[in-house]
Amino acid sequence: QALVRTAGKKGVQMYLVGGTVRDCLLGRISHDLDFAVSGSALTVAKLLQQELGGGTLIDLSGPDDEAIRLVWWGEQVDLSAFRAAATSIEQDLCLRDFTINAMAVPFLEILGDTPNPTFLDPTGGLDDLREARVRHCAGAFIADPVRMLRGYRLCASLGFQLDDTTK
């Protein structure tokens, strides 16, 4: 309910993204919630903290990205601003590490009366999920070389194969 109230605030756009969407599509339990937000992730995290009546904020921001983790009674919510000054969720998704982590759904559409929530997949992640393939997004390894190791970890944990181009 606190997430719904936060997402319903004027000017707040929240998208369920990344591993949370991937795990849901695979029928796996996700151990945290990942959100991309328009505007300031810190502002949205503080709004959520206020709605919850507590919780601890942890700054996970990098030099080009704002990311905040809210931990509340053992639950973990990660909020990140659109990456590298992206002006839309689609641009943000294209800047992520792997296509299977570059999918999103507007949060309020999942819970609302929308019969078919908008599914955003600008990099073809759903096809890669169906093919059990880990494929990098353009520029992913230049932005963060550690993502190369994460690709192998994803393959091991999901039982997927690394795309030849990604290798």
Side-chain angles (χ1 to χ4, degrees):
Q1 292 303 317
L3 282 165
V4 170
R5 289 191 301 271
T6 301
K9 302 246 185 222
K10 184 177 181 176
V12 175
Q13 294 177 3
M14 290 177 63
Y15 298 89
L16 201 57
V17 296
T20 304
V21 174
R22 179 199 68 226
D23 289 348
C24 180
L25 291 169
L26 290 173
R28 295 168 48 114
I29 295 172
S30 186
H31 298 289
D32 62 359
L33 293 172
D34 296 323
F35 289 95
V37 300
S38 62
S40 167
L42 180 59
T43 299
V44 176
K46 285 181 178 180
L47 287 171
L48 179 57
Q49 183 183 40
Q50 188 175 30
E51 288 291 340
L52 290 169
T56 301
L57 297 178
I58 303 163
D59 190 350
L60 304 173
S61 301
D64 298 324
D65 301 315
E66 182 190 29
I68 306 296
R69 176 170 290 157
L70 173 64
V71 180
W72 180 75
W73 292 97
E75 299 297 326
Q76 184 172 295
V77 178
D78 290 341
L79 300 133
S80 62
F82 291 168
R83 297 164 187 265
T87 58
S88 70
I89 185 63
E90 291 84 3
Q91 287 177 352
D92 172 80
L93 294 172
C94 290
L95 296 171
R96 290 180 177 264
D97 55 1
F98 299 96
T99 61
I100 60 173
N101 293 332
M103 299 175 284
V105 179
F107 178 61
L108 290 179
E109 287 188 21
I110 297 170
L111 305 174
D113 295 330
T114 307
N116 295 309
T118 306
F119 181 73
L120 302 163
D121 181 19
T123 64
L126 185 58
D127 288 338
D128 289 335
L129 273 183
R130 289 180 179 136
E131 298 294 323
R133 173 177 54 226
V134 173
R135 183 170 52 91
H136 73 291
C137 293
F141 302 143
I142 293 168
D144 183 358
V146 175
R147 289 173 165 174
M148 289 184 241
L149 295 175
R150 186 159 191 252
Y152 285 101
R153 187 184 61 131
L154 277 170
C155 287
S157 65
L158 298 173
F160 285 16
Q161 294 297 313
L162 202 59
D163 177 70
D164 287 339
T165 306
T166 300
K167 280 182 194 174

